[in-house]
Amino acid sequence: MDGRPYFISVEEARAITFQTPPPLRVEEVPIESAVNRILARDLASKVNDPPFDNSAMDGFACRHDANATYPRTMDIVGTQAASGANENIEVMDGQAVRIMTGAPMPPGTDAILPVERCTVEGQHVVFTEAPKPHFVRRKGENLEAGAVALTKGMQLTPSRVGLCATMGHATVPVYQRLRVGIVSTGDELKSPGEPLKHGEIYESNSFGLAGLVEWSGHEPVRYPAVADTMGALRATLNEASADCDLILTSGGVSMGEFDYVRRVMEEEGDIHFWRMKIRPGSPPLFGLWNSTPLFGLPGNPVSSHVVFRMLVAPYLRHALGSDGPKEWTVRAKLCDAVKSTNDCVTLRRVTLTSTEEGMMAHQPRHQGSGNLESLASASGLTLLQPGQSGDVGEWIDVLVL
Ligand code: AMP
Ligand code: MG
């Protein structure tokens, strides 16, 4: 490996990838299509939220009178709808205005009594108790005009997209989705739908990885599976590097004779590290092909997924400085033994169940790194650190899938 980092910890591997970020571009998008995008600049509110004092309840607005006694009969002098029509009703002591939720407080009023605590009798209303100032939502109490409520790097969740609108933004500056090329390699791979000959399997990694790229908020570009030859691989990598910001390959990075991704990267690319202390998924490499960052992910379907979550997803979040998509870890008690190692992080697939004692992690059956069903039916991955015990009864961190 010519002195290049080899078989390093997950932290070391991440640190190396962080030094070679993908190119970033900013675009302005309508908020209708902003969900899950990453904000590229801080966003200040253009207005006060709420923009005016208004009622939190359907009921009656009036002046709060500390000396009044209840029940108290008031004169109804008007109706205030949420649109703010009839806004200029001037309300005197002993008078009340029928008011709808969200409607501006009429001049002279400062308290609300909800409709269910009143009895209406023609042009009068009997208050059974005192009206409450806290049913008034004050101008700017949620957000003052000019306040920065969303900051650069935030992932625009549905509630944050709603907040963009509340703050008066019809469009928002976000990072362009990165184009992520996905190149699977292997002579044995056939597309689903085609007949299989003996020795062939269906190609699944590019579909799973494309899903992970979309989950990360970026744009997958799938290439047809590449045969195990230097020429075919070189041609596809050239095409992908011309067209994409980042390349993910799958397969061909182990020690085998036909592991051409490693070979072509060694001979014609630029490898920044090879192999990482993680199980499953130890073979990955990272480097540059024609100055495009490239992750060489393992071919085993579970491994490629796990390495994406542990290495590629943190790389993408770091590049954009983003806080999403969120990775959740929970503490869980192991209900089945997991074999740990002294040098690797062990990521076994577990099923999580919530009990009164806390979260329980079960590992229902044997797991191979080629068994995609065991990943599809799991809800978490054990984050067993090197040397940490995986005995039954241990409380460990689990990455939620
Ligand atoms: P490799 O790293 O290329 O030796 O691949 C390791 C294992 O993963 C082999 O059993 C391959 O057949 C399998 N594999 C490689 N690429 C894919 C893929 N794209 N989809 C499904 N299985 C794959
Ligand atoms: Mg292969």
mmCIF file of all heavy atoms in Angstrom, residues 5 43 57 82 106 127 135 149 165-166 183 192 195-196 249-250 262 273 313 319 337 359 367 375 382 394:
data_model
loop_
_atom_site.group_PDB
_atom_site.id
_atom_site.type_symbol
_atom_site.label_atom_id
_atom_site.label_comp_id
_atom_site.label_asym_id
_atom_site.label_seq_id
_atom_site.Cartn_x
_atom_site.Cartn_y
_atom_site.Cartn_z
ATOM 1 N N PRO A 5 -2.579 4.952 4.515
ATOM 2 C CA PRO A 5 -3.250 4.393 5.689
ATOM 3 C C PRO A 5 -3.991 3.099 5.339
ATOM 4 O O PRO A 5 -4.701 3.037 4.331
ATOM 5 C CB PRO A 5 -4.231 5.494 6.094
ATOM 6 C CG PRO A 5 -3.636 6.742 5.528
ATOM 7 C CD PRO A 5 -2.933 6.341 4.270
ATOM 8 N N LEU A 43 -31.626 32.020 7.872
ATOM 9 C CA LEU A 43 -32.880 32.598 7.389
ATOM 10 C C LEU A 43 -33.537 33.403 8.517
ATOM 11 O O LEU A 43 -33.878 32.852 9.564
ATOM 12 C CB LEU A 43 -33.812 31.455 6.963
ATOM 13 C CG LEU A 43 -34.646 31.649 5.711
ATOM 14 C CD1 LEU A 43 -33.782 32.024 4.517
ATOM 15 C CD2 LEU A 43 -35.438 30.396 5.420
ATOM 16 N N MET A 57 -58.496 31.644 21.077
ATOM 17 C CA MET A 57 -59.729 30.864 21.283
ATOM 18 C C MET A 57 -60.885 31.475 20.496
ATOM 19 O O MET A 57 -60.905 32.679 20.252
ATOM 20 C CB MET A 57 -60.141 30.932 22.773
ATOM 21 C CG MET A 57 -59.172 30.273 23.704
ATOM 22 S SD MET A 57 -59.200 28.526 23.371
ATOM 23 C CE MET A 57 -58.540 27.889 24.844
ATOM 24 N N ALA A 82 -61.485 35.999 11.670
ATOM 25 C CA ALA A 82 -60.033 35.800 11.576
ATOM 26 C C ALA A 82 -59.404 36.683 10.508
ATOM 27 O O ALA A 82 -58.233 37.030 10.588
ATOM 28 C CB ALA A 82 -59.717 34.340 11.296
ATOM 29 N N PRO A 106 -59.648 43.397 19.000
ATOM 30 C CA PRO A 106 -60.209 44.728 18.704
ATOM 31 C C PRO A 106 -59.587 45.775 19.633
ATOM 32 O O PRO A 106 -59.193 45.437 20.756
ATOM 33 C CB PRO A 106 -61.696 44.552 19.013
ATOM 34 C CG PRO A 106 -61.937 43.080 19.018
ATOM 35 C CD PRO A 106 -60.664 42.447 19.458
ATOM 36 N N PHE A 127 -70.805 36.105 31.267
ATOM 37 C CA PHE A 127 -69.502 35.493 31.563
ATOM 38 C C PHE A 127 -69.626 34.740 32.881
ATOM 39 O O PHE A 127 -69.958 35.332 33.893
ATOM 40 C CB PHE A 127 -68.420 36.582 31.710
ATOM 41 C CG PHE A 127 -67.895 37.136 30.403
ATOM 42 C CD1 PHE A 127 -68.585 36.961 29.205
ATOM 43 C CD2 PHE A 127 -66.701 37.839 30.385
ATOM 44 C CE1 PHE A 127 -68.088 37.480 28.018
ATOM 45 C CE2 PHE A 127 -66.192 38.366 29.199
ATOM 46 C CZ PHE A 127 -66.894 38.192 28.013
ATOM 47 N N PHE A 135 -55.198 34.091 26.992
ATOM 48 C CA PHE A 135 -55.738 33.589 25.727
ATOM 49 C C PHE A 135 -55.467 34.554 24.569
ATOM 50 O O PHE A 135 -55.991 34.377 23.473
ATOM 51 C CB PHE A 135 -57.238 33.305 25.852
ATOM 52 C CG PHE A 135 -57.551 32.087 26.690
ATOM 53 C CD1 PHE A 135 -58.577 32.099 27.630
ATOM 54 C CD2 PHE A 135 -56.817 30.915 26.519
ATOM 55 C CE1 PHE A 135 -58.864 30.965 28.392
ATOM 56 C CE2 PHE A 135 -57.097 29.781 27.278
ATOM 57 C CZ PHE A 135 -58.120 29.819 28.225
ATOM 58 N N ALA A 149 -34.343 32.167 12.704
ATOM 59 C CA ALA A 149 -34.945 30.968 13.303
ATOM 60 C C ALA A 149 -34.406 29.694 12.676
ATOM 61 O O ALA A 149 -34.451 28.630 13.277
ATOM 62 C CB ALA A 149 -36.456 31.012 13.145
ATOM 63 N N ALA A 165 -42.405 29.488 5.414
ATOM 64 C CA ALA A 165 -43.585 30.217 4.942
ATOM 65 C C ALA A 165 -44.050 31.227 5.982
ATOM 66 O O ALA A 165 -44.333 32.385 5.664
ATOM 67 C CB ALA A 165 -44.696 29.223 4.607
ATOM 68 N N THR A 166 -44.109 30.789 7.249
ATOM 69 C CA THR A 166 -44.524 31.695 8.332
ATOM 70 C C THR A 166 -43.647 32.950 8.359
ATOM 71 O O THR A 166 -44.124 34.053 8.634
ATOM 72 C CB THR A 166 -44.406 30.949 9.686
ATOM 73 O OG1 THR A 166 -45.281 29.831 9.640
ATOM 74 C CG2 THR A 166 -44.774 31.844 10.858
ATOM 75 N N VAL A 183 -21.794 2.744 -9.041
ATOM 76 C CA VAL A 183 -21.235 1.791 -10.003
ATOM 77 C C VAL A 183 -21.055 0.448 -9.305
ATOM 78 O O VAL A 183 -20.213 0.312 -8.415
ATOM 79 C CB VAL A 183 -19.858 2.287 -10.507
ATOM 80 C CG1 VAL A 183 -19.251 1.287 -11.478
ATOM 81 C CG2 VAL A 183 -19.972 3.678 -11.139
ATOM 82 N N PRO A 192 -32.525 -7.421 -11.926
ATOM 83 C CA PRO A 192 -33.769 -8.132 -11.605
ATOM 84 C C PRO A 192 -34.704 -8.086 -12.807
ATOM 85 O O PRO A 192 -34.793 -7.065 -13.477
ATOM 86 C CB PRO A 192 -34.339 -7.341 -10.418
ATOM 87 C CG PRO A 192 -33.500 -6.122 -10.282
ATOM 88 C CD PRO A 192 -32.237 -6.325 -11.010
ATOM 89 N N PRO A 195 -33.434 -13.469 -16.732
ATOM 90 C CA PRO A 195 -33.251 -14.845 -16.237
ATOM 91 C C PRO A 195 -31.832 -15.015 -15.687
ATOM 92 O O PRO A 195 -30.890 -14.358 -16.150
ATOM 93 C CB PRO A 195 -33.459 -15.697 -17.490
ATOM 94 C CG PRO A 195 -33.297 -14.780 -18.645
ATOM 95 C CD PRO A 195 -33.559 -13.381 -18.182
ATOM 96 N N LEU A 196 -31.689 -15.866 -14.666
ATOM 97 C CA LEU A 196 -30.373 -16.113 -14.063
ATOM 98 C C LEU A 196 -29.799 -17.423 -14.573
ATOM 99 O O LEU A 196 -30.480 -18.448 -14.563
ATOM 100 C CB LEU A 196 -30.503 -16.224 -12.539
ATOM 101 C CG LEU A 196 -30.757 -14.963 -11.735
ATOM 102 C CD1 LEU A 196 -30.750 -15.293 -10.244
ATOM 103 C CD2 LEU A 196 -29.733 -13.877 -12.045
ATOM 104 N N THR A 249 -18.637 2.991 -5.568
ATOM 105 C CA THR A 249 -18.596 1.715 -6.273
ATOM 106 C C THR A 249 -18.971 0.632 -5.271
ATOM 107 O O THR A 249 -18.866 0.839 -4.052
ATOM 108 C CB THR A 249 -17.199 1.401 -6.836
ATOM 109 O OG1 THR A 249 -16.280 1.281 -5.746
ATOM 110 C CG2 THR A 249 -16.735 2.489 -7.781
ATOM 111 N N SER A 250 -19.429 -0.507 -5.772
ATOM 112 C CA SER A 250 -19.632 -1.640 -4.867
ATOM 113 C C SER A 250 -18.957 -2.860 -5.449
ATOM 114 O O SER A 250 -18.995 -3.083 -6.668
ATOM 115 C CB SER A 250 -21.121 -1.890 -4.614
ATOM 116 O OG SER A 250 -21.623 -2.872 -5.466
ATOM 117 N N ARG A 262 -10.073 -1.986 -6.538
ATOM 118 C CA ARG A 262 -8.839 -1.712 -5.790
ATOM 119 C C ARG A 262 -7.659 -1.584 -6.750
ATOM 120 O O ARG A 262 -6.875 -0.637 -6.653
ATOM 121 C CB ARG A 262 -8.585 -2.836 -4.775
ATOM 122 C CG ARG A 262 -7.303 -2.691 -4.008
ATOM 123 C CD ARG A 262 -7.110 -3.842 -3.034
ATOM 124 N NE ARG A 262 -7.293 -5.159 -3.631
ATOM 125 C CZ ARG A 262 -6.406 -5.779 -4.413
ATOM 126 N NH1 ARG A 262 -5.253 -5.193 -4.698
ATOM 127 N NH2 ARG A 262 -6.650 -6.977 -4.909
ATOM 128 N N PHE A 273 -7.105 5.895 1.711
ATOM 129 C CA PHE A 273 -6.958 4.797 2.671
ATOM 130 C C PHE A 273 -7.634 3.561 2.100
ATOM 131 O O PHE A 273 -8.490 3.641 1.209
ATOM 132 C CB PHE A 273 -7.519 5.140 4.066
ATOM 133 C CG PHE A 273 -9.024 5.032 4.186
ATOM 134 C CD1 PHE A 273 -9.663 3.813 4.391
ATOM 135 C CD2 PHE A 273 -9.818 6.179 4.100
ATOM 136 C CE1 PHE A 273 -11.044 3.718 4.492
ATOM 137 C CE2 PHE A 273 -11.204 6.085 4.195
ATOM 138 C CZ PHE A 273 -11.808 4.863 4.393
ATOM 139 N N ALA A 313 -22.522 8.501 4.880
ATOM 140 C CA ALA A 313 -23.511 9.449 5.429
ATOM 141 C C ALA A 313 -22.827 10.528 6.282
ATOM 142 O O ALA A 313 -23.125 11.724 6.111
ATOM 143 C CB ALA A 313 -24.591 8.702 6.213
ATOM 144 N N ALA A 319 -19.799 17.478 4.839
ATOM 145 C CA ALA A 319 -19.530 18.345 3.682
ATOM 146 C C ALA A 319 -20.500 19.523 3.643
ATOM 147 O O ALA A 319 -20.109 20.646 3.347
ATOM 148 C CB ALA A 319 -19.629 17.534 2.394
ATOM 149 N N ALA A 337 -26.348 -13.032 22.674
ATOM 150 C CA ALA A 337 -24.914 -12.702 22.675
ATOM 151 C C ALA A 337 -24.464 -12.268 21.277
ATOM 152 O O ALA A 337 -24.910 -12.817 20.272
ATOM 153 C CB ALA A 337 -24.113 -13.909 23.129
ATOM 154 N N MET A 359 -35.025 -0.367 26.266
ATOM 155 C CA MET A 359 -35.013 -0.964 24.933
ATOM 156 C C MET A 359 -34.297 -2.324 24.980
ATOM 157 O O MET A 359 -33.229 -2.445 25.592
ATOM 158 C CB MET A 359 -34.250 -0.002 24.027
ATOM 159 C CG MET A 359 -34.690 0.033 22.618
ATOM 160 S SD MET A 359 -36.423 0.383 22.377
ATOM 161 C CE MET A 359 -36.345 2.080 21.895
ATOM 162 N N GLN A 367 -26.400 -14.447 11.056
ATOM 163 C CA GLN A 367 -26.333 -13.352 10.093
ATOM 164 C C GLN A 367 -25.054 -13.435 9.276
ATOM 165 O O GLN A 367 -23.966 -13.423 9.818
ATOM 166 C CB GLN A 367 -26.320 -12.015 10.836
ATOM 167 C CG GLN A 367 -27.517 -11.828 11.743
ATOM 168 C CD GLN A 367 -27.483 -10.483 12.419
ATOM 169 O OE1 GLN A 367 -26.425 -9.867 12.522
ATOM 170 N NE2 GLN A 367 -28.629 -10.039 12.877
ATOM 171 N N LEU A 375 -30.999 -7.710 7.205
ATOM 172 C CA LEU A 375 -30.951 -6.252 7.376
ATOM 173 C C LEU A 375 -32.337 -5.659 7.191
ATOM 174 O O LEU A 375 -32.775 -4.796 7.961
ATOM 175 C CB LEU A 375 -29.973 -5.649 6.363
ATOM 176 C CG LEU A 375 -29.770 -4.139 6.418
ATOM 177 C CD1 LEU A 375 -29.098 -3.738 7.730
ATOM 178 C CD2 LEU A 375 -28.925 -3.659 5.247
ATOM 179 N N THR A 382 -25.883 -2.944 16.146
ATOM 180 C CA THR A 382 -25.115 -2.792 17.386
ATOM 181 C C THR A 382 -23.885 -1.928 17.091
ATOM 182 O O THR A 382 -23.270 -2.041 16.032
ATOM 183 C CB THR A 382 -24.631 -4.149 17.921
ATOM 184 O OG1 THR A 382 -23.746 -4.725 16.957
ATOM 185 C CG2 THR A 382 -25.798 -5.094 18.182
ATOM 186 N N GLU A 394 -25.694 -7.078 28.588
ATOM 187 C CA GLU A 394 -24.916 -5.829 28.459
ATOM 188 C C GLU A 394 -25.803 -4.723 27.882
ATOM 189 O O GLU A 394 -26.611 -4.973 26.987
ATOM 190 C CB GLU A 394 -23.728 -6.025 27.501
ATOM 191 C CG GLU A 394 -22.663 -6.975 27.997
ATOM 192 C CD GLU A 394 -21.764 -6.355 29.061
ATOM 193 O OE1 GLU A 394 -21.772 -5.120 29.232
ATOM 194 O OE2 GLU A 394 -21.049 -7.136 29.737
#
